[in-house]
Structure formats: C-alpha cells, structure tokens
Amino acid sequence: MTEIEFVGYSAVHPSDFIYDVPNGFTGYLLLLFDSPSELLIDGRLMRTAANSAILYTPGSRIYYRAAGEEYRNDWIRFRSDHSFVKLFPLTNTPFPVTDPEYCHQLFKLLTWESAFFSSESESNITHLLRVLFSKLREGIQNESPGIHEHELVALHKMIYNNPQLPWNINMMAAKLHLSPSHLQTLYHRKFGSSCMDNVIEGRLRRAKDLLEYSEYSIRDISEQCGYNNVEHFCRQFRQHNGCTPGQYRKNASAGSNKRLLTHNTLGGREFEKINRNHPVAESFPVL
C-alpha cells in the first residue's frame, strides 16, 4: 500500500525559512535539497550541501532551515508498507544524491500522478517511488562522490542523447572547468570508458538505426551523426561493425517497415543553453 499525503517540486523559500515539526508525521517525509540547508540531527545543527536528500521516518523530529540563502527543495509526505521504503538503508540522516536531475523528474511525475488520480494511480505511484528509492540508494553506496560527480553524470547524459554534436575533449573539459587530461581520468573512472569512445558509440548506434529505418543517403546519415567526412564515417563504421554502411543497410531486415526518421531532441537545446558561457568553436577536428 502506498498513499501520498502531499507532494511538490521546485519549492522556493526565502533565506530565513525554517520548518519545524517536533513530533514528526505519522508517515514518511522525503526531501531532496536543491540548495544548501541546515538540519537538526541528534540535537545538533548540521549543514548539508545541495543535491542531498533525507528520509524522515514516522514520528521523527523534523527541523530544517535555509542556510543563509534562498532555500529550494522537492518533497513528498507519504505512507507505505513496501520493503523498499521500510528497509531503506539510511534514515533521518542526509546523504548525497548521485543524479539529482533524474530524481527531480521523478518528483514531478509523482506530483502529476497524484494530482490526476485514476484507477491506475496507486500502482503507478508505487512504481515511481520504487525507481526513486532505487536511484537514491546509489548516493548512499557512493558515500564520497567527487566534486565533479553531478557534472560528469550530466555530460554523460548529453553525450548519450546528442552524439551528433561537435564534441571534442577541449570543449568538454572547458565546460567542466577541468584540464583535458583530468577530465578523461575522472570520466573513465566513473563510467569505465572515455568521453570520445561514448561519442563514437552513440554516433554509430544512431547511424545503424538510420541505415535500417530511413531512406537517407549514406552521406546524409554521416552528416546527421556528426561526421564532417563521409569517408571517415565509413571507415569508422567498418572498424566497429565489421562491414560498410552500405553492406549493413543491404543486410538489414527492415523491408517494407522502413520509415523516415528525424531526431529533434530537447537535449540539444539544453546543451546550447548550458554552454552559453563556453561557446562551442565554429570548427572541430574530425573525431
């Protein structure tokens, strides 16, 4: 059983904001902090950084406040008898969140599902909460995230969603305010592969999809996947897939199900917005 009492996201409060419930609630309270805050833990005030969370158990003292600046958070008060909540490994103590944007989107979905309740809502809410708690566990297991943890995750997601953009190591490093060598070390440590390997993997994955399900020419596909040179695209495609793009298309079994595909992703616009202080150079070396 899962029952949401109140839920909200992107709440904003002034710098003197204080929330104090001495006897707690009859259900759980989960907070995702989008700004630094101060919490009363075991009778002592402690400061927690942005991109942290806390799960208050029923009946626990609740006290948190702004830490000298505008306070922002996502929050949910709920009841649940599911084991993923009752057996959550850390309660009444703040912990880091590995992917705060992912969790923020789940808070949005929980808010919307709660607002437009239907016969399927309880099941949907339980599934969303299960995913949220699974994601939050990552922050507990990764007890000492690096100072660039969130930026690395965001970069990885942008590469995955937009491999066709003119990526290069210098531009990525400038975005994270790191040296190219330091970025490559941190990225490989986090994801087990290099930045540019992920770019190439994403470009070739998209190229195979377009070869199989579109009528675009190989040259057009090359350009749509971020290659400046069709010969280089064909050479790299064969190196990774064991055949040329033309052979791959010939062998594909799409048949009469072929359809014209276009990709206009939100991620591209987000990339341009995020990089407004680090404009992408007009020309890039061939990857």
Side-chain angles (χ1 to χ4, degrees), residues 75-211:
W75 55 278
I76 178 171
R77 278 174 48 196
F78 67 102
R79 302 171 186 268
S80 178
D81 58 5
H82 290 286
S83 60
F84 66 84
V85 176
K86 297 174 68 174
L87 300 180
F88 193 71
L90 190 61
T91 58
N92 304 313
T93 301
F95 55 88
V97 178
T98 303
D99 194 343
E101 180 58 29
Y102 187 101
C103 294
H104 175 67
Q105 296 302 324
L106 288 169
F107 271 94
K108 283 186 177 182
L109 293 173
L110 285 163
T111 302
W112 299 337
E113 190 65 47
S114 179
F116 301 101
F117 200 84
S118 68
S119 59
E120 300 296 324
S121 288
E122 183 175 346
S123 174
N124 293 342
I125 286 169
T126 298
H127 289 313
L128 289 169
L129 269 179
R130 189 183 302 275
V131 174
L132 175 59
F133 273 75
S134 175
K135 202 68 178 175
L136 291 173
R137 280 176 177 267
E138 294 179 6
I140 297 174
Q141 294 165 355
N142 184 19
E143 293 183 357
S144 301
I147 59 174
H148 298 288
E149 181 86 7
H150 305 126
E151 291 89 345
L152 288 170
V153 171
L155 175 62
H156 184 73
K157 289 192 290 188
M158 282 194 288
I159 289 174
Y160 183 85
N161 197 40
N162 298 278
Q164 80 284 356
L165 292 177
W167 298 101
N168 67 42
I169 293 296
N170 290 335
M171 177 266 287
M172 297 181 200
K175 174 177 163 29
L176 271 66
H177 305 287
L178 298 171
S179 70
S181 61
H182 193 196
L183 168 63
Q184 293 182 84
T185 298
L186 294 177
Y187 193 95
H188 193 278
R189 185 183 302 161
K190 174 69 178 174
F191 301 111
S193 59
S194 74
C195 310
M196 296 314 302
D197 281 347
N198 280 172
V199 170
I200 293 169
E201 178 187 354
R203 288 180 173 180
L204 296 180
R205 182 173 61 90
R206 178 165 293 182
K208 288 194 291 185
D209 193 52
L210 290 171
L211 286 166

Side-chain angles (χ1 to χ4, degrees), residues 208 211 233-241 243 245 248:
K208 288 194 291 185
L211 286 166
F233 163 65
C234 293
R235 186 165 55 250
Q236 198 166 77
F237 189 97
R238 182 169 186 171
Q239 178 183 352
H240 285 77
N241 295 290
C243 63
Y248 182 89

